[in-house]
Amino acid sequence: MLENMRKTVPDKVIESCLIVIGMAEAAHLTALLLKLPFGVCSTVFAVLLALGILWKAGTVFLRRKRGERFTGQEEIFFSKLWKTYPGWVILPGIMIILQIVWYYWIQTPYLKYDITGEIVQTMLASDSIYEVNPLTGQAFDVGMPMRLKILVLPTLFASVCRWTGLSAMTICYSVAPGIVLLLSYTVYLGWAEYLFPKEGKKRMLFLLFAVFIYQFGAYSRPMDGYSLFFGGFQGEAFRTGIILPYALLCCLRGRWKGVVLCLLAEVCMVWTFYGLGYTAVTAVLYGCIRLLSLQWNRREK
């Protein structure tokens, strides 16, 4: 049980990203409630992000100064895997890189009926958050529902545009989807570690299987691969590829902090069920199955 609760490299990466989304949401809500310009929101987010990085760096520095040793078991494991089976590490890596290059830098993204880029451009041009209609350029006659206003992805994308100087189209339709796809594979690397804790070759085979599933699932709109390859800038893709599989993995491993982070992240990014989304359903179903299993074991004894 303790082995299952140990934080792995995929855990650190995914949870760090979920915390960053939480920081963006905190800045976003502050600007909404206080009716602040987008520029202030972006600055607050940058400050929170910088403080988080400094806090983490300070923690690592203090641990090293006290002479604490980092176990680095995962790093050692993958180092041995690279030396023993380099081909099984390179093959899925090359395929993932090719997917990112093809779908986000060569292919034209699927933009029909999507106005994410226009929303981000409107935020940057008007220096406001959800106050100007991106289709007309005029102020909204009727205010947006608060449940839609709290969705943070456009603000997050606009902040990155402001910091980097990159265009909204580049961030929304090339950079962000590529990062989401990489994070999704990181989640399934965590699944591979959970299913095959001591078998590196099987981990890489599992990751390669995930790559093929996404690739072969890109032909139809309801498929996960289609969602990630052609709509990776949307909250639904983030939920499909990252939040739901990671939440289930955390349930199985008893990492409830991760489940809570997934619950909050879905509320920030997807409006389904007006906040009570599929992550909550997943956690409740797992809890019911776990409870029934415990009751059954007691009866057997």
Side-chain angles (χ1 to χ4, degrees):
M1 181 66 177
L2 290 176
E3 181 70 17
N4 286 337
M5 292 183 66
R6 178 176 56 85
K7 184 177 286 191
T8 64
V9 173
D11 288 324
K12 295 174 183 177
V13 173
I14 299 301
E15 291 185 7
S16 295
C17 292
L18 294 177
I19 290 172
V20 169
I21 290 170
M23 293 177 179
E25 181 67 21
H28 178 81
L29 288 178
T30 300
L32 277 179
L33 296 176
L34 299 179
K35 301 184 184 302
L36 300 174
F38 166 74
V40 175
C41 173
S42 177
T43 301
V44 171
F45 179 29
V47 170
L48 291 176
L49 190 58
L51 290 175
I53 294 172
L54 289 174
W55 178 81
K56 185 62 178 179
T59 302
V60 173
F61 175 77
L62 289 175
R63 289 182 64 182
R64 290 188 181 277
K65 191 174 182 180
R66 289 197 297 262
E68 295 184 21
R69 288 188 175 183
F70 296 90
T71 57
Q73 294 178 0
E74 284 295 297
E75 291 84 348
I76 295 172
F77 181 87
F78 280 106
S79 177
K80 292 181 178 178
L81 177 63
W82 170 258
K83 294 177 181 178
T84 309
Y85 305 107
W88 291 106
V89 178
I90 293 173
L91 182 58
I94 289 177
M95 294 190 66
I96 292 170
I97 292 172
L98 289 176
Q99 285 178 341
I100 292 174
V101 170
W102 176 257
Y103 287 104
Y104 306 129
W105 294 101
I106 296 179
Q107 286 279 73
T108 301
Y110 183 77
L111 304 180
K112 189 176 182 180
Y113 304 125
D114 181 78
I115 58 171
T116 303
E118 286 77 4
I119 293 174
V120 172
Q121 289 175 328
T122 301
M123 285 185 176
L124 292 168
S126 65
D127 196 28
S128 62
I129 301 175
Y130 295 138
E131 292 182 4
V132 177
N133 189 326
L135 299 179
T136 65
Q138 303 297 319
F140 281 111
D141 295 328
V142 180
M144 291 175 62
M146 191 60 185
R147 179 65 195 99
L148 294 179
K149 276 190 173 183
I150 70 172
L151 299 182
V152 74
L153 282 183
T155 302
L156 177 59
F157 295 157
S159 295
V160 176
C161 291
R162 188 182 182 92
W163 301 337
T164 62
L166 294 174
S167 69
M169 297 303 172
T170 299
I171 293 297
C172 294
Y173 302 127
S174 295
V175 177
I179 293 173
V180 170
L181 184 62
L182 285 174
L183 290 176
S184 182
Y185 284 130
T186 303
V187 172
Y188 284 106
L189 192 59
W191 269 97
E193 193 274 342
Y194 172 74
L195 295 171
F196 311 107
K198 304 298 181 182
E199 300 176 90
K201 187 176 179 181
K202 288 185 178 180
R203 288 196 202 182
M204 293 298 101
L205 280 170
F206 183 88
L207 183 61
L208 184 61
F209 180 73
V211 172
F212 281 130
I213 289 294
Y214 275 165
Q215 186 62 52
F216 295 149
Y219 67 90
S220 178
R221 218 181 259 190
M223 305 296 289
D224 291 354
Y226 190 97
S227 175
L228 285 166
F229 293 146
F230 299 107
F233 49 88
Q234 298 173 337
E236 289 86 349
F238 199 98
R239 177 178 61 189
T240 298
I242 301 170
I243 293 177
L244 287 180
Y246 186 65
L248 181 57
L249 178 61
C250 288
C251 287
L252 293 171
R253 297 173 59 210
R255 290 189 54 80
W256 302 111
K257 173 188 174 182
V259 178
V260 172
L261 288 174
C262 289
L263 284 167
L264 295 175
E266 185 178 7
V267 171
C268 295
M269 291 188 290
V270 190
W271 67 271
T272 309
F273 293 163
Y274 284 90
L276 180 61
Y278 290 107
T279 307
V281 174
T282 300
V284 170
L285 286 176
Y286 173 81
C288 292
I289 293 171
R290 182 68 176 168
L291 183 61
L292 290 173
S293 176
L294 291 174
Q295 292 294 331
W296 180 266
N297 290 337
R298 287 177 184 175
R299 289 183 180 181
E300 289 293 317
K301 292 179 181 180

